[in-house]
Amino acid sequence: GWAEPAALVRHALALPGVTWHGQANVHSIAADAEGWRACDRDGRCIATAPLLVLANAHDALRLSGLPASWATTSRGQISWLEPNDLALATTPRLPIASGAYVLTLPDGRLLIGATQQRDDDEPAVRESDHAANLAQAARLLGLEPARAGAVVHGCVAWRMTTRDRLP
């Protein structure tokens, strides 16, 4: 299955007891008898909560006190094709995944991904990564997903991974 990330976040933020603290730069965290405190650079408490989830990539290491060697970054590029650039008669109704993934987005675009390069900080979208993603999609689908001359779009992001390569 697949969930639309923005809808999932909207749902989570609407739950009772969940408060959004945007543009809050957390410098330190501390636990006490009542739960967790997130503090800014001047030591002022930004937020308190009974539960703390660190979902801030590599900065989670600093906040948690884990050594930098505990994890690394992995660059990933996704690619997508607009509906008019698809060579497919029909797009998959369900996500397909096996070392890579292909899924049809609600607007009809085909999302393909993702490359993985450890310790690569290049933010530019690469044609070679598009080619790798399209090759993976062709392997998963059994045929080339893009029509000749198709424009392939993409974006790059990084995930923090542990030594065993898991996010």
Side-chain angles (χ1 to χ4, degrees), residues 62-104:
R62 179 187 63 80
L63 288 173
S64 66
L66 290 169
S69 62
W70 189 78
T72 187
T73 56
S74 178
R75 178 191 182 276
Q77 180 175 311
I78 60 169
S79 303
W80 68 85
L81 295 164
E82 299 292 338
N84 61 338
D85 279 327
L86 295 172
L88 306 172
T90 60
T91 56
R93 290 181 314 129
L94 297 171
I96 301 170
S98 177
Y101 55 86
V102 175
L103 60 101
T104 305

Side-chain angles (χ1 to χ4, degrees), residues 40-64:
D40 67 12
R41 186 171 299 283
D42 297 323
R44 289 186 299 259
C45 183
I46 298 168
T48 59
L51 177 68
L52 174 71
V53 176
L54 295 176
N56 56 336
H58 236 76
D59 201 38
L61 297 176
R62 179 187 63 80
L63 288 173
S64 66

